[in-house]
Structures are given as C-alpha cells and as structure tokens.
Amino acid sequence: MVKVLSSREGYDLYANEYAGDHRKLDSFDRPDFMQLLPDKADVAVELGIGDGRISGEIARRSENFVGIDISLKMLQNAIRRSPRTQIVQADLAENLPLGDECVDFLVAAFYFVHIKNPDLIIAEAARVLKPGGIFLFNLIPQRREPELKAGKQRFKIRSYYHSPPHVEKILDYHWFNWDVTTVTEGKGWVSKIYRCQKT
Ligand SMILES: C[S@@+](CC[C@H](N)C(=O)[O-])C[C@H]1O[C@@H](n2cnc3c(N)ncnc32)[C@H](O)[C@@H]1O
C-alpha cells in the first residue's frame, strides 16, 4: 500500500521533482489562468506558492509579492525561481496570516485540491482582500491522489475533491462577484478558474 502523506511531508519530499511536472500542470489551464491576472497590484499574495511555477509573472506585476506555503523545501525553490518574492512558511488550511483588507490580489493555483474546508479559505479571502480586490483560483476534478515518486520512495499527497456548485455557493455567501472559465478536454472539464471580486 502506498502511503498518503500530509502536504507538508509530501511536498518536502517531492520539492525537487516538482519542476518535472510543470509542463503537465501548465497544460491544464496556464494560458487562461495567466490571462486573468490583473495588470498591476500593490500587494499580491500567492497561497500554496509551491516552487513558484507561475510566480514570476505575478511578481513582475506587483509592488509587493508574498508567497506562502506549508513546505519549506518548496519555498526554497520558489525563492530561487523568483527572487523578488517575500516568502512565509505557514499552514493555510484554516486561516491566513494576514491583516484585514490589506491585499489587492490573492491567487491560489492547484491549491484548493489540498484543502479540506474551502469555506474557511474563502471566508479568509473575503476578510483579507481590500474592497474591489481579486481572488483568482482554480478547481480540478481530481478524485484520487496520483502516485508520486522521489528517489526510491513512492507516496501520495492527501487531496480533496470539491464540487464547483458547492464552492460557488460559498462565494455567493460571501458576496463575491465571480466569473468562471471552464477549460475542457474531450468530453469533460480539466480546470475551472474562478475570478472573484470582493464587493
Ligand atoms: C499542487 S502544489 C501547487 C503549487 C503552485 N501553486 C503551482 O500552481 O504550481 C500545492 C502547494 O500547496 C501547498 N499546500 C498544501 N496544503 C497547504 C497548507 N495547508 N498550507 C499551506 N500550503 C499548503 C503545498 O505545499 C504545495 O506547494
């Protein structure tokens, strides 16, 4: 039986392999996702920044860019890839280590798939964003954790499936104005990208 690890343990183990997955991750939705970035932001924060796969472009468009992640190894790779990033190690499963109404742009790519309670993160997004601020994130239809390999170790990283209608109800509850871009492949969707504005 392959072990299912927590995000911290799993991504610390997998950090140096992750760049090998960039092309596959990019193929889900990168052009659509990047097109939804704001042109400029004073304060931008990326939740679950990972190794900074998409951070260079966000950092270039922001005066202040902060990347937060639970995995120190992923953060070390993020800072190498995008040196202007201010990094913070924190567990973001339940709350965000940020003040009220201080963020212009909050972004979370391939992050909700590791979060058990999206309602807590969306409530926190509503708290930390400035009025008019944007929260950009994606959902993927992953129902089973893929098996990963680092050296001789094989493992999975705990993940959760969130149905789009459920997440949309939470966005409505917090009065976000939101739009969704659905990226399809064959008969099904591979990514739903939510661009949510705090009212
Ligand atoms: C699939 S990776 C995505 C990385 C990056 N956003 C990207 O698009 O390539 C998920 C990231 O979320 C981080 N993560 C998962 N659960 C977390 C938590 N509870 N708090 C903070 N970061 C978490 C993981 O360590 C990992 O770096």
Side-chain angles (χ1 to χ4, degrees), residues 7-8 11-12 18 22 25 46-54 68-71 74 90-94 108-111 113-115 138:
S7 283
R8 183 198 298 255
Y11 279 103
D12 271 352
Y18 191 80
H22 280 193
L25 290 162
E46 185 172 358
L47 309 178
I49 182 176
D51 67 354
R53 181 181 64 90
I54 61 164
I68 313 177
D69 205 284
I70 199 168
S71 160
M74 290 294 261
D91 183 351
L92 305 172
E94 297 192 351
F110 297 98
Y111 174 65
V113 69
H114 290 299
I115 290 299
N138 61 359

Side-chain angles (χ1 to χ4, degrees), residues 30-92:
R30 187 173 175 121
D32 299 272
F33 199 95
M34 300 312 266
Q35 211 170 7
L36 293 166
L37 296 181
D39 293 337
K40 270 187 186 314
D42 181 10
V43 179
V45 177
E46 185 172 358
L47 309 178
I49 182 176
D51 67 354
R53 181 181 64 90
I54 61 164
S55 309
E57 190 54 40
I58 306 168
R60 262 192 294 285
R61 295 176 191 215
S62 356
E63 287 300 315
N64 303 282
F65 177 55
V66 180
I68 313 177
D69 205 284
I70 199 168
S71 160
L72 188 59
K73 294 266 166 57
M74 290 294 261
L75 286 168
Q76 285 166 345
N77 291 345
I79 199 94
R80 264 182 229 120
R81 185 162 282 111
S82 183
R84 277 195 52 224
T85 309
Q86 301 168 52
I87 56 167
V88 176
Q89 186 188 19
D91 183 351
L92 305 172

